Amino acid sequence: MDGILSSLTDVQRQAVQHVDGPLLVLAGPGSGKTRVITHRVAHLLAQGVPDEQIVALTFTNKSAEEMCRRLEHLAPGRRVWVGTFHRFCARLLRQHAPLVGLRENFTIYDADDSRRMVRESIADANITLTHESPARIAAAIGWAKSDLVTAEAYRAESCNPLAALVERVYPRYCKRMLAANAVDFDDLLLYVELLLRDNPELRHLLDQRFRYIMVDEYQDTNLAQYTIVRALSIDYPNLAVTGDPDQSIYGWRGATIRNILDFEHDFPDVRVVRLEQNFRSTGRILRVADQLIANNRQRKEKALFTDNTLGHPVRVVVYPTGRQEAEAVAARIADDVAAGRRRPGDFAIFYRANSLSRSLERALKSVRLPYQIVRGLEFYQRKEIKDVLAYLQLANNPVNDVAFLRVVNTPPRHIGKKSIACLTRHARHEGLSLLDAARGGHRIDGLSARAAAAFARFAALVDQLGSVPHESVEEILGNVLHATDYCDWLEAAETEEDQQRLENIGELLTDAREFDETHFQDGGLEAFLEQTSLVADVDGWESETDRVTMMTLHAAKGLEFPVVFIVAVEQDMLPHKRSVDDPDRLEEERRLLFVGITRAREELHISATQQRTVGGHIVYSGASAFLLELPRDDIVVAGQLVRENADGSGEHSQDLDLDLDLDLEDQFAPDDGSFGDLEEFGWQTPARRRAGKRAGKRAGKRAGKRAAARKPLRTGLVTTAAELAGDVPSATACSPELFHQNMVVTHPEYGLGKIISIGGAGTKRTATVQFVGVAGPKQFCLAFSPLRPARG
DNA sequence: TATTCGCAAGTTTTT
DNA sequence: CTTGCGAATA
């Protein structure tokens, strides 16, 4: 035990040695948080706490594994429960499923399955969507669940069209899910909460059993998660949470930063320990991170410091295009690797959105650098994998209608849309599951004898799958592939794509075999299925292999790399355009960048472009406002950032040093010459564009004029600003969010009008406009209409 | 009923 | 640019 404690700092030791009562560890990035948690577990064990009384909850399987690994070192052979919140809840729910109306073999639906279910429920409610999407309704339902609002309790506030839809769809969705014996991710939490709320004796029992609970990344908990750990810490309030408000990046998923900000309030006798010493990054990197995050209001002040060397300045580079950015990053890495300074595995590239990985991937390929993209989920979302898993799900849970519909005609069994519609109608009418209805298909009106026979054969097939003795998942899976002819079907096709599919299925078989070796005894097929639905992207990351890692900023949390590149730090990308208008969400975007920055140990490169292709369209990007918040003394800038005051007043342009770093000139100037032109571009920050958008007439008009006067722009940048301000009519549509009720607008054909009603979001946002001298109101889909705000 | 083609729509982050 | 969906065709 002495050995364990001696490797810790004083503050860390305080947290580790805390045994009873609530504990809050405010841990800055790189402050040894995981170390503290694992050591504390080891300490508890050393104090005589039985293994089964300790539970450590994490957000990703990845960090759970890491924790297990370290724990195995500190306390070999002990069996402490470490895992994700969702897995923990899934386990509890399996044990007590009947209490909430489920059976213990319930299926966990992924986002895709649950969206299908929402779609059906929308149909149930006789709703035809006009300007909302099933996805948005699904998200709203999820949001309600994270806030512990059940279907029965849900009431739409008046004047909220989305909520009005949710109020009708949510109960139907719930009913359908129960009938299919299925839960979605949010249900896992919600049901456990209800379980604890409605069964006091059970709650007490579990409270007693899980006597020492630890929650990592506490800043990312939502109300449901908070309530669950709270309910398990009443009789034995030994709840230890660790987190950093500055790293809260899941607000969009219902996480509330208040859970950590108010922890001291909720648990009055809490012991608070602050870990502020950073052991990871250079002084400069830490300072850059610290300065950036100082711009946030919602936080607990922290005094981050480090004894590490100052290190290199952070490089901020602006490239003309996304392609050049990707090539430059790849070239830089290739250079370091070729010179023997670094290994590929030292590098990580982070981006805001998955779609940005493509150009990087291509660039790394062309310089022959080994890489891995952390996007593990994708594997389980492939059609062939989902198909095969659907058979397994159906074998395990025969009332799973979504799985039934997925595979009833895959591979093709001469069962068409009409027959399925007929079956569905009958099943609903009789209150049967689709599989049960299929079994007695011959008695259904309007169903051809041929189709009825096909259904019966399918039902028999599924029954056979379910009756195979549960020797191993691999065997069960093998049986599925054989009995359904799935592989034969793919082989027959012989296209390149189908070859790949066969390989993927092979990979799934390997997965199953590995599972059998390690976990089969913990629950067999059901446990395997649970694992496949509860994996996340980060989980696919292999730290051991020597490859360049690419991932989203979200996935990067908790990891560290010697050299980090953060690309596409542009306005509307980071901060993302869906977040810029909401101060809270804007702060979250800033935290996201903070998380990215603090992953870097030795070197950090931040880049942006002037022009990038997103979704097939070229957009002229502007510098992220965040770039201008970085401390000048700790960064080196290549490219020019021109800034104007957000209110559009005065031309206060702050030109950052055009400090071209030599490497960069070497890389680009000779090749394409484009780098030398960069200065001319008069790169524009979004401050101006937004000034134009918001204050429409005043600031916008001036911004437009001024921008036009600053001439050497050859991109469409100025035009864009002017258009947004309403100066130049054009075929391109304005941002739909720009319009609001009662706004006066112009249309090239109809002229001046007024918005009399408006609703929806994104491309679905529609407005009804009454034009002057035009009979009857007109409807517009704002994303594509030539409608724009009127001047003056 | 199966397959193929064309068009439209949606593009943030994840358990 | 991708994926998904619907219609037209074999």
Side-chain angles (χ1 to χ4, degrees):
Chain A
M1 200 61 228
D2 271 358
I4 288 176
L5 291 175
S6 64
S7 62
L8 300 167
T9 64
D10 285 349
V11 208
Q12 288 176 337
R13 202 173 302 133
Q14 281 174 32
V16 166
Q17 289 180 317
H18 177 97
V19 175
D20 289 310
L23 170 71
L24 169 61
V25 179
L26 285 170
S31 60
K33 184 185 52 158
T34 311
R35 227 173 129 69
V36 164
I37 296 175
T38 49
H39 279 73
R40 178 158 181 268
V41 173
H43 183 253
L44 289 175
L45 290 169
Q47 298 289 305
V49 176
D51 300 23
E52 62 276 10
Q53 287 185 2
I54 304 174
V55 173
L57 299 173
T58 63
F59 270 80
T60 62
N61 297 299
K62 175 86 207 146
S63 56
E65 274 162 33
E66 171 69 9
M67 221 171 263
C68 281
R69 206 177 54 77
R70 296 215 211 167
L71 211 50
E72 188 53 34
H73 269 281
L74 295 172
R78 306 298 294 260
R79 290 182 61 88
V80 171
W81 204 89
V82 181
T84 64
F85 244 110
H86 286 83
R87 212 176 271 267
F88 178 71
C89 289
R91 191 181 68 145
L92 277 185
L93 201 55
R94 291 243 187 253
Q95 285 161 6
H96 308 283
L99 291 176
V100 295
L102 289 162
R103 270 161 287 155
E104 77 290 338
N105 62 333
F106 61 79
T107 304
I108 301 169
Y109 278 180
D110 67 11
D112 184 61
D113 295 335
S114 91
R115 216 173 307 122
R116 278 167 204 265
M117 211 51 142
V118 167
R119 219 170 269 147
E120 308 252 317
S121 314
I122 292 167
D124 285 352
N126 275 323
I127 295 172
T128 32
L129 292 181
T130 50
H131 40 240
E132 293 294 352
S133 65
R136 269 179 52 96
I137 293 176
I141 291 176
W143 183 276
K145 287 180 181 172
S146 332
D147 267 342
L148 299 178
V149 181
T150 59
E152 301 80 56
Y154 192 96
R155 291 289 172 275
E157 8 167 330
S158 54
C159 302
N160 184 341
L162 177 62
L165 289 172
V166 172
E167 189 178 287
R168 294 168 62 195
V169 175
Y170 188 3
R172 291 176 165 91
Y173 172 74
C174 230
K175 206 172 140 206
R176 267 187 179 268
M177 290 292 278
L178 279 173
N181 194 28
V183 299
D184 61 32
F185 292 132
D186 303 299
D187 285 331
L188 288 171
L189 306 176
L190 177 64
Y191 278 133
V192 167
E193 206 290 312
L194 296 178
L195 206 65
L196 297 171
R197 193 191 67 187
D198 298 337
N199 302 277
E201 60 304 320
L202 176 64
R203 188 212 61 75
H204 173 71
L205 217 68
L206 295 172
D207 190 341
Q208 194 167 29
R209 175 155 152 225
F210 305 121
R211 220 169 284 196
Y212 294 88
I213 298 179
M214 299 194 214
V215 182
D216 193 19
E217 309 284 10
Y218 189 69
Q219 76 281 353
D220 287 326
T221 50
N222 58 31
L223 182 67
Q225 290 162 321
Y226 165 80
T227 312
I228 290 166
V229 289
R230 180 110 217 223
L232 292 173
S233 309
I234 294 175
D235 310 315
Y236 298 89
N238 310 315
L239 177 63
V241 305
T242 61
D244 178 2
D246 291 335
Q247 293 184 63
S248 161
I249 53 176
Y250 286 101
W252 53 273
R253 217 174 73 189
T256 153
I257 195 169
R258 296 246 65 88
N259 285 348
I260 195 162
L261 295 177
D262 293 344
F263 192 80
E264 292 171 78
H265 174 258
D266 296 336
F267 294 87
D269 298 325
V270 66
R271 170 78 174 272
V272 181
V273 176
R274 309 172 93 90
L275 304 178
E276 294 173 317
Q277 180 173 5
N278 177 296
F279 301 98
R280 178 187 296 153
S281 308
T282 65
R284 281 204 152 103
I285 290 171
L286 195 64
R287 233 156 43 193
V288 167
D290 196 46
Q291 284 281 314
L292 172 75
I293 206 65
N295 289 281
N296 271 10
R297 301 183 61 95
Q298 291 219 39
R299 56 189 306 245
K300 275 184 191 285
E301 283 299 327
K302 263 197 320 284
L304 297 178
F305 69 99
T306 184
D307 289 342
N308 294 346
T309 62
L310 209 51
H312 300 290
V314 170
R315 263 174 85 246
V316 177
V317 191
V318 179
Y319 300 100
T321 67
R323 191 193 175 116
Q324 278 159 306
E325 177 186 52
E327 283 168 0
V329 170
R332 175 106 192 177
I333 296 173
D335 273 1
D336 279 353
V337 171
R341 286 190 291 269
R342 302 269 186 196
R343 307 171 323 130
D346 289 341
F347 298 92
I349 310 172
F350 303 150
Y351 33 80
R352 176 65 229 265
N354 275 311
S355 58
L356 291 162
S357 68
R358 280 192 189 283
S359 55
L360 291 162
E361 191 176 3
R362 203 175 44 211
L364 289 180
K365 247 187 203 144
S366 75
V367 294
R368 295 176 208 291
L369 275 169
Y371 63 86
Q372 62 178 324
I373 298 181
V374 175
R375 214 157 70 234
L377 228 143
E378 234 171 40
F379 179 74
Y380 289 101
Q381 280 178 348
R382 295 194 157 105
K383 181 188 177 329
E384 62 278 16
I385 300 300
K386 286 211 73 166
D387 286 348
V388 175
L389 287 177
Y391 279 107
L392 292 179
Q393 287 177 353
L394 213 45
N396 187 240
N397 174 22
V399 301
N400 182 346
D401 285 353
V402 170
F404 178 97
L405 288 173
R406 178 164 197 103
V407 292
V408 67
N409 198 34
T410 317
R413 297 188 177 88
H414 307 282
I415 295 171
K417 252 195 312 214
K418 259 180 87 179
S419 309
I420 290 173
C422 190
L423 183 81
T424 311
R425 187 167 34 75
H426 178 257
R428 274 191 61 193
H429 194 253
E430 301 291 315
L432 296 170
S433 70
L434 292 175
L435 190 68
D436 280 335
R439 211 173 269 121
H442 54 282
R443 292 188 291 107
I444 301 175
D445 278 350
L447 198 65
S448 70
R450 211 175 93 133
F455 277 133
R457 267 199 306 279
F458 179 74
L461 169 70
V462 173
D463 290 340
Q464 187 265 324
L465 296 179
S467 63
V468 175
H470 288 199
E471 294 296 324
S472 69
V473 177
E474 191 188 5
E475 249 175 287
I476 301 170
L477 189 55
N479 180 48
V480 164
L481 295 173
H482 175 253
T484 62
D485 290 329
Y486 201 94
C487 288
D488 296 341
W489 175 55
L490 285 184
E491 270 163 17
E494 267 183 355
T495 67
E496 191 75 23
E497 205 185 350
D498 292 304
Q499 274 308 308
Q500 183 62 51
R501 294 204 158 140
L502 278 171
E503 281 170 33
N504 290 332
I505 288 175
E507 210 174 308
L508 187 66
L509 273 165
T510 313
D511 254 26
R513 191 176 316 125
E514 274 172 22
F515 180 86
D516 288 331
E517 282 160 14
T518 53
H519 302 295
F520 187 74
Q521 67 286 359
D522 320 333
L525 178 60
E526 203 162 278
F528 177 71
L529 289 173
E530 184 167 308
Q531 191 179 60
T532 59
S533 34
L534 292 180
V535 286
D537 349 10
V538 214
D539 305 335
W541 184 62
E542 299 167 37
S543 46
E544 306 305 316
T545 58
D546 188 18
R547 293 186 277 172
V548 177
T549 302
M550 286 188 264
M551 60 174 89
T552 64
L553 285 159
H554 281 89
K557 197 170 64 164
L559 306 174
E560 60 173 53
F561 298 88
V563 186
V564 165
F565 291 83
I566 305 177
V567 299
V569 187
E570 294 139 22
Q571 199 70 10
D572 288 355
M573 207 62 214
L574 182 66
H576 193 270
K577 61 168 173 292
R578 313 257 286 230
S579 301
V580 282
D581 291 327
D582 177 337
D584 287 352
R585 294 178 66 171
L586 187 72
E587 292 209 349
E588 181 156 312
E589 298 285 318
R590 195 179 274 115
R591 291 194 290 268
L592 199 50
L593 182 56
F594 175 81
V595 165
I597 292 172
T598 53
R599 301 307 96 195
R601 283 216 293 263
E602 297 159 26
E603 272 180 55
L604 174 65
H605 307 261
I606 294 175
S607 56
T609 66
Q610 297 184 289
Q611 178 188 319
R612 161 179 317 279
T613 313
V614 256
H617 296 281
I618 291 176
V619 296
Y620 300 101
S621 5
S624 167
F626 297 153
L627 289 184
L628 297 152
E629 298 172 358
L630 308 181
R632 291 187 52 180
D633 293 346
D634 296 306
I635 64 178
V636 176
V637 179
Q640 187 183 44
L641 314 181
V642 180
R643 177 166 172 83
E644 244 170 82
N645 291 339
D647 61 2
S649 69
E651 168 124 359
H652 172 241
S653 79
Q654 167 198 351
D655 292 281
L656 298 179
D657 289 345
L658 193 67
D659 187 353
L660 299 188
D661 113 15
L662 286 173
D663 288 6
L664 204 90
E665 260 182 327
D666 288 343
Q667 276 172 35
F668 294 105
D671 289 335
D672 51 29
S674 55
F675 191 72
D677 292 340
L678 225 120
E679 227 182 318
E680 271 178 48
F681 268 67
W683 202 38
Q684 187 184 26
T685 68
R688 173 190 296 155
R689 288 196 297 174
R690 263 185 306 146
K693 269 198 228 175
R694 285 245 181 78
K697 22 196 173 166
R698 283 176 306 121
K701 210 157 65 180
R702 271 186 287 142
K705 279 209 186 108
R706 240 197 334 270
R710 180 203 303 278
K711 62 149 211 302
L713 286 188
R714 6 158 151 143
T715 66
L717 213 71
V718 168
T719 333
T720 309
E723 278 168 23
L724 285 170
D727 283 356
V728 184
S730 131
T732 5
C734 295
S735 159
E737 270 68 33
L738 210 137
F739 298 90
H740 52 79
Q741 179 103 48
N742 294 330
M743 190 181 221
V744 181
V745 294
T746 64
H747 187 278
E749 215 174 307
Y750 301 113
L752 220 55
K754 185 170 159 188
I755 297 182
I756 54 177
S757 78
I758 190 161
T763 50
K764 290 265 174 96
R765 192 166 171 83
T766 41
T768 313
V769 182
Q770 179 62 61
F771 291 98
V772 180
V774 180
K778 305 267 179 215
Q779 282 257 345
F780 294 94
C781 185
L782 290 172
F784 309 108
S785 78
L787 215 58
R788 51 208 53 252
R791 302 175 50 188

